[in-house]
Amino acid sequence: MAKINGNEIRPGTLIEYDGGLWIAVKTQKVKPGKGGAYNQVELKNVTQGTKLNQRFRSDETVEEIYLEKKDFQFLFASDDMLTFMDMQTYDQIELQRDCVGDQAQFLQDGMKTLVQMYDGKPIGIALPQHVTLEVTEADAVMRGGTAAPSYKNAVLENGMKIQVPPFIDAGTKVIVSTEDGSYIRRAE
């Protein structure tokens, strides 16, 4: 086990906190006008399934639990279950969608993921840092509005809404961060 700072907690990180085993489902870095920055983390208890919202400052440390990580391929989603296949044994496992959290929206058929196992039981996944998605809708560009860089609303093929630069149109493939869902760049 190793200690990590509170600002290093990412979705999928497993920590020991308050006497329990918790997995980070969602994280948001907050920099208020007054006071120090902190990481707002939504935690889910691995054994009981309860959720907790907690603030971690960068000077706080928590115990990170290391898991067995195995390569799996995402096959399909049905209702609230996600089906994955072990890349070596071809065994299939199912995870509940809420176990994966917001990361489920980035899953694509055939995508390789790391499934995190604790005592031989799957408890979460780790996605690649970036995914390529197609823009299905994009707002029109407002001409002459400002000289400053501006962004417009767009909807991706997975139904997610993000902000993109004005030169991105419907049908364009873009690279999106799986950590916070933000636009990175246009795909080649």
Side-chain angles (χ1 to χ4, degrees), residues 25-154:
V25 180
K26 247 198 294 197
T27 63
Q28 180 181 5
K29 302 216 183 310
V30 180
K31 297 176 185 167
K34 267 186 157 178
Y38 60 88
N39 196 6
Q40 182 72 36
V41 181
E42 182 180 316
L43 297 168
K44 182 177 179 193
N45 190 300
V46 172
T47 54
Q48 298 160 350
T50 56
K51 289 195 174 178
L52 170 72
N53 278 310
Q54 187 65 35
R55 289 182 180 178
F56 292 97
R57 300 209 177 273
S58 61
D59 59 349
E60 292 180 65
T61 58
V62 292
E63 286 285 336
E64 181 178 16
I65 308 295
Y66 287 102
L67 303 169
E68 177 188 357
K69 295 179 180 175
K70 293 181 76 177
D71 286 328
F72 277 77
Q73 183 178 24
F74 174 67
L75 297 178
F76 60 89
S78 61
D79 297 324
D80 64 340
M81 297 303 282
L82 305 170
T83 304
F84 296 86
M85 179 182 68
D86 189 320
M87 300 291 283
Q88 285 143 357
T89 65
Y90 303 109
D91 292 337
Q92 291 184 11
I93 60 166
E94 288 187 330
L95 284 173
Q96 288 193 331
R97 188 179 292 268
D98 66 345
C99 179
V100 176
D102 285 348
Q103 292 183 311
Q105 66 189 343
F106 296 111
L107 288 171
Q108 299 168 335
D109 291 346
M111 175 185 273
K112 289 183 183 175
T113 63
L114 283 178
V115 173
Q116 300 161 326
M117 314 282 265
Y118 183 72
D119 284 343
K121 180 182 158 205
I123 59 168
I125 64 169
L127 293 176
Q129 285 187 326
H130 304 117
V131 292
T132 303
L133 295 166
E134 186 174 330
V135 175
T136 55
E137 297 174 34
D139 288 352
V141 178
M142 300 297 283
R143 295 279 179 209
T146 178
S150 60
Y151 282 80
K152 63 182 183 177
N153 295 322

